[in-house]
Amino acid sequence: MRFSVVDYLNARPLIWGLLEDPPPGVPVSRDVPSVCADKLASGEADVGLIPSIEYQRIPGLRVVGGLGIAAASEVRSVLLVSNVSRERIRTVALDPASRTSAVLTRLLLKRRYGLEPQYREGPGDADASLVIGDPALKARLNGHVVLDLAAEWRAFSGHAFVFAFWAVRPGVSQARAEQVVRASYDAGQRNFPRLVAREAAGSGLSEAVVEDYLRHSLHYELDAGDLAGLDLFYRLAAEDGWIERARPLELTLPG
């Protein structure tokens, strides 16, 4: 059973056990979110921590129950950073590593603010840029207009936003995958102080910032409210043509 995991700070509590003490015969590759999805789609990986939008684009995936990366309000690591006032945004540079955040940016600018700027992938000269992951946490934002996409989604929809979750390919044991990912997450919770210290040392962020981000900006145990927000996101994405149709989530939450 081959795993592809997101190599970002926000995923560390989920992947700690897989990285520190992987089960025998479970190779783990560290990737950006878009590559996780591509490996799952191509069959290079059996289980992946995928951008939530990719569940709708890869046929036959099943969700590994109950665990993902979600934010109830400000997430701090998924930002639209603009050099101009919001209403003057005409061009947006998207980060190709995060397909969910790219769709969320388009939906929010259109539906919350009535804006339909030109979009392109990758860095370059643009009025606003999508900044994700660890670079967003370290960004110096003085003098910029900043939209925190999870906070914007909350204000727009009333729901938390689910950025990623575990999924398995057809023919892969869902029960075994759930056992592995749950054990990995449980290991992260047991070793949380060690996790925080290591990530702070490696990232240049303080331990206080890392702990606050992982404990308060994010949550990993998905609930019915998270899934309701995800269903709405899928429906709007389908209406705007970013996915063909909104396939219902096949997921039973623990308990």
Side-chain angles (χ1 to χ4, degrees):
M1 185 178 289
R2 301 158 299 169
F3 277 72
S4 174
V5 304
V6 176
D7 196 20
Y8 288 163
L9 172 60
N10 63 2
R12 282 297 185 273
L14 291 176
I15 66 176
W16 178 266
L18 278 164
L19 297 182
E20 294 297 307
D21 187 22
V26 178
V28 179
S29 63
R30 303 186 185 200
D31 302 302
V32 298
S34 57
V35 173
C36 286
D38 290 344
K39 285 186 173 181
L40 209 57
S42 69
E44 292 180 68
D46 301 305
V47 187
L49 186 57
I50 62 166
S52 55
I53 195 69
E54 293 299 294
Y55 174 78
Q56 298 290 344
R57 295 171 171 168
I58 304 173
L61 292 186
R62 291 162 296 151
V63 182
V64 178
L67 293 174
I69 301 173
S73 186
E74 286 190 3
V75 69
R76 298 159 53 191
S77 57
V78 184
L79 307 176
L80 186 67
V81 180
S82 178
N83 300 312
V84 300
S85 59
R86 186 184 61 228
E87 64 275 8
R88 293 175 55 213
I89 295 174
R90 299 291 181 268
T91 55
V92 175
L94 299 174
D95 188 328
S98 182
R99 295 165 183 167
T100 293
S101 299
V103 173
L104 182 59
T105 299
R106 294 174 187 267
L107 289 180
L108 287 170
L109 288 183
K110 176 183 177 180
R111 291 176 176 269
R112 182 157 163 75
Y113 295 113
L115 300 175
E116 296 192 64
Q118 293 182 331
Y119 294 93
R120 65 167 176 269
E121 290 193 346
D125 186 24
D127 294 330
S129 298
L130 178 61
V131 184
I132 67 168
D134 302 359
L137 290 171
K138 301 175 186 177
R140 296 181 179 179
L141 302 174
N142 291 343
H144 292 85
V145 175
V146 179
L147 300 181
D148 183 299
L149 294 193
E152 292 291 323
W153 173 256
R154 183 76 184 204
F156 169 71
S157 71
H159 293 290
F161 191 79
V162 180
F163 287 96
F165 50 70
W166 291 107
V168 299
R169 284 178 54 81
V172 176
S173 171
Q174 189 169 0
R176 174 59 176 153
E178 290 196 10
Q179 182 183 44
V180 172
V181 301
R182 176 59 64 173
S184 179
Y185 176 67
D186 289 346
Q189 295 306 294
R190 289 194 305 271
N191 292 278
F192 192 75
R194 182 179 165 207
L195 183 159
V196 167
R198 180 181 297 180
E199 294 304 316
S203 67
L205 300 168
S206 71
E207 290 190 20
V209 167
V210 171
E211 180 172 3
D212 183 65
Y213 172 63
L214 295 178
R215 283 203 187 279
H216 302 300
S217 295
L218 300 169
H219 61 273
Y220 299 95
E221 301 267 4
L222 303 183
D223 60 23
D226 295 324
L227 301 190
L230 201 49
D231 284 340
L232 176 61
F233 174 61
Y234 288 154
R235 179 169 61 80
L236 297 179
E239 288 178 5
D240 286 359
W242 299 112
I243 56 176
E244 184 174 339
R245 64 183 181 87
R247 179 163 66 99
L249 279 169
E250 298 179 12
L251 170 62
T252 301
L253 294 175

